[in-house]
Structure formats: C-alpha cells, structure tokens
C-alpha cells in the first residue's frame, strides 16, 4: 500500500548522513539531522532542513539512543527514519520500535534483520534454499565430539565463527586437530563475552579467498533484483579500504551464477529494500555465502557509478510501498568504478587512528570523480567515531581509466591536520598486483610494508636521492614539490605526502 514520505530523519552522521540528505533533497523530501553535542557544526547538521541534538559524544549517549531518536522524529514530524549504516541500521529492536511508533524504517523488516543477524539461522535458511556454504556446519555446534568429527571430515585448517558475530567479529582459525578443543572453548567464551551468546559453528577455512558481494534491491511486490557485484578484497582486519565494481575476477558466467544465488538468498528471507549478499570465492571459482548485510553498504557508490542508480532514492521508493521502477533486464554495467576510503588512520603506524584539527581538506574533482565527504577543513577529527572522513570514487569506461583517475584524484587530495589512508591507496593503485586485478583478501598483509613512503624497496633510495637533490638545487614546482625532471610523477606525490 502507498505511504508518502515527506520528511526523513537521518539517524546517522558524517558522510552517509550527507549522502542521504542529498537524495532526499533531490526527491523534494525535507530532512532532519540528529547530532551529538560535539557534532554541532558538522556538514550533515548544516545541510539538513532541521536538526536535533540527541546527546553527548559517546555513541551510546547519542546516535544509539533509540527512544531519544524516535522522540526526535515525533517532535519534528518526520514520517520516516533512515538509519544509514552502522549504529542502529541492523538493529531489529529499533526497526520494531519505529514500526510501533508509526514511523517508517527505511530498510528491511525487523524479521528480515533478525533472520540475517543470527549467522547460524541465516546459514540454515541458505542451506534450505540451496545457497552454497563453505563445507562445515550450518547450525551451531551441539557438542565437541560432533564438532571434532566434522572438522576431521572437512579437513584443517577450519574456521570457528560466532553465531552472533559477523563482519569478522568472533572468528578463529584452527590449524590442527590438537588445537581444536581449546580453540572451540576459547571461541565460545569470546563469543559469550562479546555477544552474550556462545553458539559457534565450524567451516572449512578458505586460504586465499576473494570477498565479492552482490547488491540487492527488492520491493514489497515480490520484485527482487540485483545491481551486480563489488570486489571488496582489499581489507585490513575486516575493514574494507578499497572496493571496486564490477569485480575483475568475475566473468559473465560466474557473475550470472552468483547473481542468481544472491537473488535467491534475498527472496528466502522476504527481503525488501537495499541489501548485500557477501560471498567468498576461491581460485577454482567456487563461491560460498558469507553473510547478508541488511543495510546500505559504505561502498554503495561504486554500484551507483556503474549502473546510474540512486540506491538511497530507491530505498525511499520501496519504503513508500512502490514497485521498483525497472526490471532486471533494464540494468547494465557501464564502465568501472573504484572507491578509496579516506580514513583518519596512519598506514605507517599499522593504520592506527589519527586525530587532529583539519587545517586543509582539499577534495579532488574532475571527470569521473565523486567525493562523499562528511567533514570539512576547520573541523576536528576525534576518536569518538569511525575514522572514515570521506569516500573517493572514480569512474572510467574501463578499469584502467578508473585507476588512472583514482591515482590523479589521490594526488590532488590534500589533508593537513591528521594522517590519512591516502598514501596507502596511492600505493595500491600503483601496485602491479592490484593493477592486474589478481589480488585476494591477503593483499595488504602480503604487499604493504609501510616504510615512511607508502612504497617498499628501491623506491625509498630513489626518493631520498631526489629529495636531497631538490633541497640543494631548488628545482621545485609551484606547489613546492620536486619538479618533474628530478622525480617521476608518481614519486612527486610521495614527496608531497612526506613533507607534511
Ligand atoms: C572466512 C574466510 C576464510 N574462510 N571464512 C568473515 C567475515 C568477513 N569480514 C571476513 N570473513 C572471512 N571468513 C572462511 N571459512 C576469510 C574471511 C576474510 C577475512 C578473514 C580474516 C581476516 C581478513 C579477512 C578479510 C576478508 C575475508
């Protein structure tokens, strides 16, 4: 049935709140921002039509305060709440509270969130719907003897995962039989202390997987479509750093097989709205269901760039009870897109969070360049929230063109006041393994050895020589960087970054 949304409260902050506000404005929908006291001057607050302070800096005292947020929606007459990602976006209780308050939750039903939030329930549902799982148990282990037998059958190494975990939380690899019992016991006690639920399951550990996910968009009229795939294998401790669409690993055959499975997985939980099915793929092109994310993903812009879709507008469209305005055959992959997460982390200090006040935050622009930023120069980067400052996305008619544009955009991106992941992203764009597209989830661990330049090996010697030469010869360009004849272009950006 039709439900008109005229005002949306965005229950989030920073770049995703700005992103949602932009689509609302495009649709003529007014917006309410919420903010913690330290976020009062942030872009999402200034961009919204109205704003409500919901509490103090700690998320538990502001962005996670369900009742206060619903109260803010009622106070301002918002008829819908968009949760963004993180915070309350996959909290079934919050979705239920919205429903009980007569406020539209822009996302799937509480039942779908619950079904996919419990990893063993999700796996049982997938198994029943012939969605491939890594060899192992779909359900939570009942006793250690049974678990040992299964581990023997699937062969070591195995991975133990918490039913209430996800996104890398509550996982352990067990390499040999002698370590199995202790490994299970530790995994269960960790799960109990982290999630209050000690249920775990076991599956074959896939040694060098690629992390490939499919974007799903589904309405309340039985239409469940996919908007193709994203490669998210450049990760660090389960934090994605660089994503791209489409995956360079998939050929048409594998893409259509995975797409069909992803749609089936979404149908199995009566999914509505935007969601993502995460898979792991091995080098033999086997692929396995990992988990379903019942929210809009951070990396959704690469899908928007190759399809022309506005996924936030579609979420609102579906939340109003409308049928999707297109069929599967109307969707096409156009070109290639890459996203680099610009995070306030220091890649030379093991990606430790970096704080400070931003003196400069010069964002790049140009053909095929999109920046979704949630902070501006003059504002403070604190430890209160996720270190994501912005997402730099480039599109090209080919992967090479997208990479080329990314290299240039990264060089243009100038942040003063805190360390960022920019040097790491430049390193990746320059790396032959990334350029070949033949990388897996071990890329960072395997190839990135921070040594003060974001490059390894002879790069450093060359840079040192160039820096010394320039210091004494004065040959610099208008930005005070080494002039082209002394250092190749890709080294110049390194020089710039090492000057801060
Ligand atoms: C795995 C795996 C290999 N084998 N499961 C689960 C949560 C997601 N963020 C990553 N997960 C993985 N599950 C099996 N059976 C490899 C990953 C994985 C990963 C694991 C550890 C450290 C980094 C990783 C990056 C991507 C995928």
């Amino acid at each position: 049935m039709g439900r008109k949304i005229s005002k949306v409260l965005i229950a989030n902050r920073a770049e995703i709140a700005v992103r949602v506000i932009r689509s609302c404005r495009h649709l003529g929908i007014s917006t309410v921002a919420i903010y913690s006291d330290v976020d009062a001057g942030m872009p999402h607050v200034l961009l919204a039509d109205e704003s409500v302070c919901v509490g103090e800096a700690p998320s538990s005292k502001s962005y996670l305060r369900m009742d206060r947020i619903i109260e803010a929606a009622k106070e301002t007459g918002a008829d819908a709440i968009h949760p963004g990602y993180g915070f309350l976006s996959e909290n079934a209780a919050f979705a239920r509270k919205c429903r009980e308050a007569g406020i539209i939750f822009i996302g799937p039903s509480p039942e779908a969130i619950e079904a996919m939030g419990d990893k063993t329930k999700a796996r049982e549902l997938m198994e029943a719907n012939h969605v491939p799982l890594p060899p192992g148990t779909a359900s939570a282990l009942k006793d250690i003897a049974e678990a040992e037998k299964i581990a023997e059958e699937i062969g070591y190494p195995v991975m133990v995962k918490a039913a209430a975990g996800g996104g890398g939380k509550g996982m352990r690899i067990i390499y040999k039989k002698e370590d199995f019992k202790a490994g299970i016991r530790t995994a269960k006690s960790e799960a109990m202390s982290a999630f209050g639920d000690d249920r775990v399951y076991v599956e074959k550990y896939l040694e060098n997987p690629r992390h490939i996910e499919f974007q799903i968009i589904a309405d309340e009229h039985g239409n469940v479509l996919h908007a193709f795939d994203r490669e998210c294998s450049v990760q660090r401790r389960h934090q994605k750093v660089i994503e791209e669409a489409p995956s360079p690993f998939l050929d048409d055959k594998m893409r259509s097989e995975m797409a069909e499975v992803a749609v089936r997985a979404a149908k199995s939980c009566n999914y509505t709205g935007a969601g993502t099915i995460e898979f792991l793929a091995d080098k033999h092109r086997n692929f396995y269901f990992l988990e379903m994310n019942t929210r809009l993903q951070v990396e959704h812009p690469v899908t928007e760039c190759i399809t022309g879709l506005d996924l936030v507008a579609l979420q609102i469209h579906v939340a109003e009870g409308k049928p999707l305005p297109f069929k599967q055959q109307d969707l096409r992959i156009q070109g290639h897109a890459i996203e680099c997460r610009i995070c306030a982390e220091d890649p030379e200090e093991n990606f430790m969070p970096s704080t400070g006040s931003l003196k400069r935050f010069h964002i790049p622009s140009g053909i095929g360049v999109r920046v979704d930023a949630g902070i501006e120069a003059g504002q403070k980067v604190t430890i209160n929230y996720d270190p994501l400052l912005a997402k730099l996305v480039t599109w090209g008619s080919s992967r090479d063109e997208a990479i080329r544009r990314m290299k240039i955009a990264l060089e243009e991106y100038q942040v003063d006041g805190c360390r960022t992941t920019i040097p790491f992203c430049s390193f990746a764009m320059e790396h032959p393994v990334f350029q070949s597209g033949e990388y897996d989830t071990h890329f960072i661990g395997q190839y990135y050895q921070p040594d003060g330049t974001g490059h390894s090996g002879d790069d450093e010697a060359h840079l040192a020589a160039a820096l010394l030469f320039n210091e004494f010869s004065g040959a610099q360009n208008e930005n005070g960087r080494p002039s082209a004849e002394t250092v190749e272009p890709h080294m110049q950006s390194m020089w710039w970054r090492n000057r801060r």
Side-chain angles (χ1 to χ4, degrees):
M1 89 262 182
R3 308 177 280 270
K4 182 77 191 91
I5 293 175
S6 314
K7 183 181 284 190
V8 170
L9 180 145
I10 296 93
N12 216 301
R13 64 181 297 279
E15 71 88 15
I16 192 60
V18 171
R19 168 73 190 83
V20 172
I21 291 167
R22 284 185 174 132
S23 285
C24 289
R25 291 170 70 108
H26 181 72
L27 296 169
I29 293 173
S30 58
T31 55
V32 180
I34 63 168
Y35 62 96
S36 65
D37 51 12
V38 292
D39 274 350
M42 294 299 271
H44 76 280
V45 180
L46 307 180
L47 202 57
D49 298 302
E50 300 172 65
S51 58
V52 178
C53 182
V54 290
E56 296 159 16
S59 302
S60 58
K61 297 189 174 167
S62 45
Y63 297 102
L64 293 174
R65 287 179 66 190
M66 296 191 242
D67 294 335
R68 179 70 191 96
I69 291 167
I70 287 174
E71 187 187 46
K74 288 178 178 169
E75 277 167 16
T76 55
D79 28 39
I81 289 178
H82 194 301
Y85 52 67
F87 293 133
L88 298 168
S89 62
E90 296 186 288
N91 186 313
F94 182 65
R96 200 162 273 120
K97 279 176 179 280
C98 291
R99 178 194 278 175
E100 286 154 9
I103 295 169
I104 296 168
F105 177 79
I106 298 176
S109 67
E111 293 75 23
I113 296 174
E114 266 161 359
M116 291 296 125
D118 179 316
K119 300 307 170 200
T120 48
K121 270 193 204 149
R123 294 160 64 80
E124 285 159 5
L125 196 57
M126 294 305 121
E127 191 172 55
N129 285 275
H130 313 295
V131 171
L133 297 172
T137 61
S139 310
L141 298 180
K142 292 178 187 52
D143 65 61
I144 201 92
E146 170 227 2
E148 267 191 315
K149 197 157 122 322
I150 290 163
E152 283 294 306
E153 281 160 14
I154 58 181
Y156 289 90
V158 297
M159 202 161 214
V160 191
K161 294 181 178 178
K169 291 194 285 289
M171 283 166 48
R172 290 178 78 78
I173 304 172
I174 303 177
Y175 288 95
K176 48 189 195 303
K177 180 178 170 49
E178 305 77 271
D179 302 334
F180 186 77
K181 284 186 177 155
I184 293 286
R185 270 197 295 277
T186 310
K188 287 176 77 70
S189 64
E190 282 173 356
M192 180 53 92
S193 49
F195 317 112
D197 176 346
D198 73 345
R199 290 175 303 130
V200 295
Y201 59 94
V202 172
E203 60 185 28
K204 179 74 185 152
Y205 175 62
L206 304 171
E207 307 272 359
N208 298 301
R210 297 181 74 131
H211 184 122
I212 296 170
E213 59 190 34
F214 271 73
Q215 180 65 56
I216 291 290
I217 186 75
D219 62 23
E220 296 175 352
H221 306 271
N223 301 304
V224 183
L225 311 185
H226 73 87
F228 307 107
D229 47 289
R230 295 185 288 259
E231 175 91 40
C232 305
S233 295
V234 181
Q235 296 194 20
R236 223 196 106 264
R237 291 206 208 118
H238 312 291
Q239 278 303 314
K240 298 164 184 169
V241 185
I242 297 174
E243 304 100 340
E244 59 180 309
S247 163
F249 183 64
L250 300 188
D251 54 25
D252 291 349
K253 177 175 178 295
M254 190 170 176
R255 176 168 288 114
S256 57
E257 281 171 13
M258 293 180 82
E260 196 268 328
V261 170
V263 167
R264 199 160 69 237
K267 283 180 175 170
S268 72
C269 65
N270 301 314
Y271 199 77
T272 57
T276 294
I277 308 288
E278 290 191 351
F279 294 102
L280 290 176
D282 67 19
K283 58 178 181 288
H284 309 297
R285 294 190 171 274
N286 302 308
F287 60 89
Y288 306 99
F289 173 84
L290 193 54
E291 50 196 55
M292 179 173 194
N293 299 322
T294 57
R295 66 176 190 273
L296 186 65
Q297 303 266 112
V298 172
E299 59 270 23
H300 75 272
V302 292
T303 300
E304 296 185 322
C305 286
I306 65 166
T307 60
L309 296 176
D310 176 339
L311 290 170
V312 172
L314 284 169
Q315 287 183 294
I316 294 169
H317 192 89
V318 167
E320 290 183 315
K322 296 174 186 166
L324 290 175
F326 45 72
K327 297 281 176 239
Q328 186 68 62
Q329 54 269 34
D330 300 327
L331 300 182
R332 290 275 182 288
I333 295 176
Q334 301 272 354
H336 199 98
I338 297 173
E339 175 181 273
C340 286
R341 297 193 189 195
I342 312 300
C343 300
E345 295 172 334
D346 187 348
E348 291 159 22
E349 294 297 337
N350 203 18
F351 292 82
M352 286 278 286
S354 173
T355 57
S357 67
L358 293 182
K359 299 172 194 63
R360 292 189 82 190
F361 197 71
H362 172 72
I363 59 177
S365 187
I367 298 172
V369 179
R370 163 178 170 175
V371 180
D372 284 16
I375 195 165
E376 286 166 352
Q379 288 164 348
K380 284 191 172 21
V381 180
T382 68
I383 202 73
N384 291 311
Y385 306 112
D386 184 285
L388 181 68
L389 302 175
K391 296 163 350 192
L392 171 58
V393 185
T394 55
W395 176 88
S397 54
S398 69
R399 183 171 189 263
D400 286 352
E401 188 173 71
I403 290 176
R404 179 87 194 119
R405 284 180 172 150
M406 182 58 79
K407 284 181 185 176
I408 293 165
L410 286 165
E411 297 212 351
E412 260 191 63
Y413 215 138
Q414 286 162 27
V415 180
D416 264 1
C418 72
R419 288 287 194 176
T420 72
T421 46
I422 292 172
F424 168 74
C425 296
S426 294
F427 159 82
M429 289 306 123
E430 308 258 4
H431 199 283
V433 169
F434 181 83
Q435 290 177 352
S436 72
E438 290 162 19
Y439 60 92
D440 62 38
T441 52
H442 298 288
F443 175 80
I444 295 182
Q446 213 165 341
Y447 300 108
Y448 186 64
Q449 289 87 27
D451 55 10
T453 64
H455 286 249
S456 55
D458 61 353
D459 274 341
E460 184 156 357
H462 184 113
L463 176 70
L467 292 174
L468 282 170
F469 176 77
N470 284 302
E471 286 300 323
F472 293 104
S473 71
Q476 296 186 342
N477 64 22
E478 66 283 358
N479 296 318
R481 295 186 184 186
S483 56
E485 59 271 17
T486 52
V487 175
E488 298 88 63
H490 83 278
M491 300 284 272
Q492 285 187 34
S493 64
M494 211 173 355
W495 183 86
W496 157 258
R497 287 198 181 83
N498 281 282
R499 295 285 291 172
R500 276 171 288 176

